[in-house]
Amino acid sequence: MTRGTEISNAIIASLEAINPAGGYLTDAGTRVHVGRADHLDDTQAAEFPAILVRCVRDGVGASQPKHVRHVREIAVEGYVFPDDPDYEAVMDALAEDIHRSLQPQGTRSVLGGLAIELDIEGAEYVHPEPGSRLAAVTYAVTVQYATTYINDQQ
């Protein structure tokens, strides 16, 4: 498994921990999806809030022989069903839960030591257009990590 995949999996695991029993405001951690958003189009209101995670890019930064620094950008999108007139309060709670689950706190290392640095940009709110079934809050998560190649064949 690549280090980039390990990082994506660590982010997914952090998001799956979101539930009120853990002190979070929502139970969105029980509905974390990976990949494309189009499969959320057919979901019912009871299946929200939900979270979608996908890698946007994985660029190569500074490198030395056998050592490469990567910058991986992951989109973390929280979706709510805007059937409640106060759906924005649910978006606020979901945004707080997502940020809290990903932000290293106290002595917790960055993604269990997999990453050098993690940056979470401010949340972008996407309100539903007429006829749309979903509202979303999106975070761009940028992770810097290093890989070491053991031999010249990699």
Side-chain angles (χ1 to χ4, degrees):
M1 179 180 314
T2 68
R3 177 60 58 102
T5 301
E6 288 179 307
I7 286 170
S8 292
N9 289 344
I11 286 174
I12 291 164
S14 293
L15 293 166
E16 287 175 337
I18 296 173
N19 68 62
Y24 289 92
L25 301 170
T26 71
D27 65 348
T30 61
R31 293 176 295 279
V32 177
H33 305 276
V34 179
R36 297 170 31 164
D38 50 347
H39 69 274
L40 294 176
D41 291 341
D42 297 334
T43 51
Q44 303 301 312
E47 299 175 62
F48 290 96
I51 299 172
L52 180 71
V53 181
R54 56 189 161 153
C55 180
V56 176
R57 74 177 54 92
D58 193 320
V60 176
S63 63
Q64 301 172 352
K66 298 186 181 186
H67 301 282
V68 179
R69 187 174 212 147
H70 293 263
V71 178
R72 187 173 188 91
E73 184 178 326
I74 297 172
V76 178
E77 302 166 356
Y79 288 91
V80 302
F81 198 78
D83 58 345
D84 184 333
D86 196 25
Y87 74 90
E88 193 168 326
V90 178
M91 289 176 71
D92 289 339
L94 184 56
E96 184 174 316
D97 284 351
I98 290 170
H99 189 270
R100 177 181 164 208
S101 75
L102 297 177
Q103 185 64 46
Q105 298 174 18
T107 59
R108 192 167 84 186
S109 62
V110 180
L111 297 176
L114 293 171
I116 299 167
E117 187 176 326
L118 180 136
D119 182 48
I120 305 170
E121 291 185 18
E124 179 181 333
Y125 282 60
V126 180
H127 296 276
E129 297 294 327
S132 174
R133 297 186 61 233
L134 299 175
V137 58
T138 302
Y139 282 101
V141 179
T142 304
V143 182
Q144 293 185 35
Y145 67 97
T147 55
T148 301
Y149 299 125
I150 298 170
N151 62 45
D152 293 331
Q153 294 175 345
Q154 291 184 340

